[in-house]
């Protein structure tokens, strides 16, 4: 496998008049997409007879974003594959290969190209996917779409049926672990697994009895998904982010998989938050932290950050006063960061899915109040230019009284207990509604992609009445998989 991947990299560098057949996973680049792309490309290269055709798996994200896929990098390490051997989307010029007629494509784990890639549709010669079929049939494209739990199951099936001789322990391990994660440890109750998934995992395990036990494989991958310990603040905020964008205000709502106190205490956090807002054009960050107690009960905390004091207060008031559902918020003590207001969320059943509509509603009201964004800049940050502010060194004044009486009791958390903490993620991670598990969307786009989603891409707001009405009707939630939900729905 390493040899094959190395060959891909050097063939790309040389070009040498070769043609390239790229196996492309979807833009979420989850484990399924990554492993399906790698293993199918490997299969194709091992079974192809044509000499001038190079098969290359391409991970459909920039290399910079790969650390966000913590389960992917963990799984590669487990299987002794160096990240350096992979080819990422920003490392191969598909447009150029397409133009020169050197490109053909297999799509795995998605079946239509995203709009920005749709010009390459005519060179798609193969599709292997487990999402709802959304492509038109065409003579030169072989389509395998089966609604199984994991796309990797379909690749495993192909390999076992057509080239079982290429199966080695490493290849079997890649296939097995991915199917187990996607099928939630093959548990029928989770509603993902199909008989075909179980059939091929069982065949792999019978061929390679030393493959990891299913429970252990599932737990370690599930834990890796939520292990943010190696991430920068920017990466943590982008890992599971939903953006809410209205005419003047852009909110980042990020799920944070650690105690909010630990998050707020990170070195240089304030600066990181400010840089994050500037880099991606957000005015407000709502960080929703989830952790678990030793008894496996969820702890939820919310921090609201904005340099624009009045805007922050409007957001916090909205969250405090929410009734559908009530979040049962209680302020925690002022942390080391200014421009941040932090709460413990008493209603632990209110996941981000429930909070997003509250914030969406807020944005809709802001838009219809026809109040220009500059109005949100109060004395605290009036030094800012227009739009996004420069840092203010003024002392921050909270409108709410500090309330230290209801701080989360660190004793009831499992964060300090490594083994129990890990157990929490394995047992409850799959129940988080915070988006990582959402597979319903199509076509998937990366959780961190700003390719189409940067609010600044649209330029400054037009101020005609028509434009405003249009914007209001198009308040949009873009979730981590690219699900678009229209505000009017
Ligand atoms: Mn998939």
């Amino acid at each position: 496998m390493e040899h094959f991947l190395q060959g891909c990299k050097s063939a790309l560098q040389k070009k040498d008049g070769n043609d390239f057949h790229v196996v492309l996973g979807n833009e979420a680049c989850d484990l399924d997409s990554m492993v399906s792309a790698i293993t199918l490309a490997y299969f194709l290269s091992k079974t192809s007879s044509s000499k001038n055709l190079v098969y290359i798996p391409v991970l459909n994200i920039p290399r910079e974003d790969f650390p966000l896929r913590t389960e992917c990098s963990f799984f590669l390490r487990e299987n002794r594959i160096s990240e350096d051997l992979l080819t990422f989307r920003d490392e191969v010029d598909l447009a150029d290969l397409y133009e020169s007629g050197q490109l053909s494509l297999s799509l795995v784990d998605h079946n239509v190209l995203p709009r920005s890639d749709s010009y390459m549709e005519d060179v798609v010669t193969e599709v292997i996917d487990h999402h709802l079929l959304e492509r038109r049939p065409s003579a030169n494209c072989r389509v395998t779409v089966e609604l199984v739990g994991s796309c990797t199951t379909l690749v495993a099936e192909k390999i076992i049926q057509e080239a079982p001789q290429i199966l080695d322990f490493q290849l079997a391990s890649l296939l097995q672990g991915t199917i187990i994660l996607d099928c939630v440890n093959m548990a029928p109750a989770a509603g993902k697994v199909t008989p075909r998934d179980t059939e091929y995992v069982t065949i792999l395990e019978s061929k390679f009895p030393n493959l990891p036990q299913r429970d252990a494989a599932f737990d370690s991958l599930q834990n890796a998904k939520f292990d943010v310990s190696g991430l920068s603040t920017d990466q943590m905020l982008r890992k599971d982010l939903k953006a809410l964008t209205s005419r003047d205000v852009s909110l980042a709502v990020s799920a944070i998989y650690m105690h909010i106190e630990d998050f707020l205490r990170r070195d240089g956090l304030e600066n990181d938050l400010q840089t994050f807002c500037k880099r991606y054009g957000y005015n407000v960050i709502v960080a929703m932290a989830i952790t678990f107690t030793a008894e496996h009960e969820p702890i939820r905390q919310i921090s609201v950050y904005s340099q624009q004091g009045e805007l922050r207060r409007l957001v916090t008031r909205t969250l405090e006063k929410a009734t559908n559902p009530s979040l049962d918020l209680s302020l925690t003590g002022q942390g080391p960061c200014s421009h941040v207001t932090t709460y413990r969320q008493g209603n632990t059943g209110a996941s981000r899915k429930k909070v997003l509509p509250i914030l969406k509603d807020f944005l809709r009201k802001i838009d219809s109040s026809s109040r220009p964004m500059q109005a949100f800049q109060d004395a605290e940050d009036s030094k800012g230019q227009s739009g996004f502010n420069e840092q203010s060194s003024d002392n921050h004044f909270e409108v709410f009284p500090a309330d230290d009486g209801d701080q989360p009791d660190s004793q009831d958390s499992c964060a300090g207990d490594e083994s129990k903490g890990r157990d929490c993620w394995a047992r409850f991670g799959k129940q988080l509604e915070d988006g990582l598990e959402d597979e319903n969307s199509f076509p998937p786009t990366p959780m961190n992609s700003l390719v189409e989603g940067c609010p600044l891409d649209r330029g400054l707001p037009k101020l005609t009445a028509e434009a405003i009405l249009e914007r209001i009707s198009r308040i949009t939630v873009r979730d981590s998989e690219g699900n678009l939900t229209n505000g009017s729905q």
Side-chain angles (χ1 to χ4, degrees):
M1 179 65 80
E2 291 88 332
H3 182 70
F4 158 70
L5 293 169
Q6 188 63 64
C8 292
K9 295 232 81 159
S10 41
L12 263 183
Q13 270 149 27
K14 287 193 221 119
K15 283 202 175 168
D16 270 359
N18 282 322
D19 285 336
F20 293 87
H21 185 90
V22 165
V23 182
L24 195 61
N26 72 42
E27 291 179 295
C29 192
D30 59 358
L31 194 70
D32 195 24
S33 267
M34 177 182 83
V35 171
S36 293
I38 293 174
T39 54
L40 181 66
Y42 182 71
F43 162 84
L44 291 170
S45 80
K46 289 287 167 192
T47 53
S48 156
S49 52
S50 88
K51 283 214 167 108
N52 298 321
L53 189 56
V54 182
Y55 293 91
I56 301 185
V58 171
L59 278 65
N60 210 348
I61 52 171
R63 182 177 287 273
E64 182 202 14
D65 288 349
F66 193 61
L68 307 185
R69 313 314 319 232
T70 46
E71 74 279 21
C72 292
S73 44
F74 165 82
F75 198 52
L76 284 183
R77 278 197 305 280
E78 287 281 288
N79 288 283
R80 299 199 169 77
I81 295 172
S82 160
E83 283 175 25
D84 300 343
L85 294 176
L86 301 177
T87 303
F88 290 87
R89 185 60 197 267
D90 57 339
E91 296 170 333
V92 50
D93 191 342
L94 293 185
D96 184 51
L97 289 175
Y98 175 82
E99 290 302 329
S100 59
Q102 289 173 282
L103 181 70
S104 55
L105 285 171
S106 285
L107 307 185
V108 289
D109 207 20
H110 63 320
N111 61 69
V112 279
L113 286 163
R115 209 170 3 146
S116 51
D117 286 338
S118 56
Y119 65 94
M120 298 187 290
E121 196 54 65
D122 61 315
V123 297
V124 176
T125 58
E126 181 183 34
V127 167
I128 298 182
D129 187 24
H130 66 141
H131 294 88
L132 211 61
L133 184 62
E134 299 207 2
R135 66 178 298 115
R136 286 196 209 110
S138 78
N140 51 3
C141 179
R142 217 160 2 107
V143 176
T144 306
V145 170
E146 305 281 347
L147 299 179
V148 290
S150 178
C151 181
T152 302
T153 296
L154 301 173
V155 180
E157 179 176 51
K158 204 173 175 59
I159 293 173
I160 288 167
Q161 287 183 357
E162 295 176 33
Q165 73 283 359
I166 70 165
L167 262 183
D168 59 13
F169 184 85
Q170 188 184 38
L171 183 55
S173 164
L174 288 169
L175 298 167
Q176 180 227 20
T178 306
I179 298 170
I180 289 173
L181 181 70
D182 270 357
C183 296
V184 196
N185 201 13
M186 319 314 280
K192 285 287 187 77
V193 67
T194 69
R196 215 146 149 198
D197 299 296
T198 307
E199 180 187 346
Y200 285 99
V201 164
T202 308
I203 293 174
L204 292 169
E205 289 165 345
S206 68
K207 283 179 184 281
F208 298 92
N210 289 334
L211 284 173
Q213 294 293 307
R214 289 181 190 178
D215 285 351
F218 176 71
D219 283 2
S220 65
L221 277 168
Q222 189 69 29
N223 286 327
K225 244 183 173 177
F226 297 101
D227 181 3
V228 294
S229 54
L231 300 188
S232 69
T233 299
D234 178 281
Q235 291 169 334
M236 247 183 227
L237 290 168
R238 285 193 296 135
K239 179 169 171 61
D240 189 4
L241 179 148
K242 298 191 192 228
L244 293 176
T245 305
S246 74
R247 192 185 63 214
D248 292 335
V249 178
S250 186
L251 281 165
V253 187
S254 297
I256 299 286
Y257 302 104
M258 68 193 294
H259 271 285
I260 204 76
E261 290 84 356
D262 295 334
F263 178 70
L264 294 173
R265 245 181 260 127
R266 289 167 68 92
D267 283 345
L269 183 85
E270 174 128 33
N271 194 38
D272 288 348
L273 295 176
Q274 194 189 0
T275 307
F276 183 83
C277 283
K278 273 206 182 129
R279 181 173 177 195
Y280 306 107
Y282 294 116
N283 322 65
V284 185
I285 300 170
V286 178
M288 295 191 64
I290 175 150
T291 47
F292 296 92
T293 68
E295 287 73 42
H296 303 137
E297 296 299 327
I299 300 172
R300 287 189 184 270
Q301 299 162 295
I302 296 185
S303 274
V304 180
Y305 166 87
S306 177
Q307 287 275 322
Q308 292 152 275
E310 192 189 344
L311 183 54
R312 184 178 67 254
R313 281 187 279 278
L314 286 171
V315 172
T316 54
R317 217 166 294 149
T318 301
L319 294 173
E320 286 179 6
K321 298 218 158 106
T323 52
N324 185 26
S326 160
L327 303 179
D328 187 15
L329 297 181
S330 42
L331 270 167
T332 66
Q334 187 64 42
C337 253
S338 48
H339 311 294
V340 174
T341 308
T342 299
Y343 302 92
R344 178 168 186 150
Q345 183 185 320
N347 179 2
T348 55
S351 66
R352 187 172 61 181
K353 253 183 199 162
K354 307 256 172 62
V355 173
L356 284 172
I358 297 170
L359 293 170
K360 232 165 102 175
D361 218 49
F362 162 74
L363 289 185
R364 207 173 289 135
K365 280 181 193 147
I366 292 274
D367 265 4
S368 52
S369 76
S370 73
R371 192 178 178 187
M373 193 170 75
Q374 280 76 1
F376 295 124
Q377 295 174 30
D378 55 13
E380 174 188 353
D381 34 45
S382 58
K383 284 182 203 153
Q385 312 290 308
S386 60
F388 307 108
N389 290 332
E390 301 304 316
Q391 180 166 26
S392 160
S393 56
D394 291 2
N395 279 335
H396 171 70
F397 177 72
E398 265 306 330
V399 289
F400 303 106
D403 176 8
D404 292 333
D406 196 30
Q407 283 208 42
D409 179 359
S410 59
Q411 279 183 331
D412 68 0
S413 96
C414 60
D417 183 328
E418 182 73 4
S419 63
K420 278 191 177 142
R422 298 188 75 81
D423 187 38
C424 291
W425 293 119
R427 290 178 49 146
F428 288 87
K430 59 178 175 282
Q431 292 171 20
L432 295 178
E433 293 170 72
D434 279 333
L436 280 173
E437 295 297 300
D438 279 349
E439 265 257 45
N440 312 322
S441 57
F442 194 86
T445 44
M447 59 181 53
N448 45 2
S449 170
L450 289 156
V451 174
E452 292 179 299
C454 178
L456 294 181
D457 287 349
R458 296 192 300 261
L460 294 170
K462 289 178 212 145
L463 288 175
T464 66
E466 206 180 15
I468 289 167
L469 283 172
E470 200 231 312
R471 285 287 160 81
I472 291 170
S473 70
R474 290 220 268 153
I475 294 176
T476 295
V477 182
R478 185 183 297 274
D479 74 15
S480 60
E481 313 288 322
N483 242 352
L484 290 177
T485 327
N486 193 284
S488 58
Q489 281 171 351

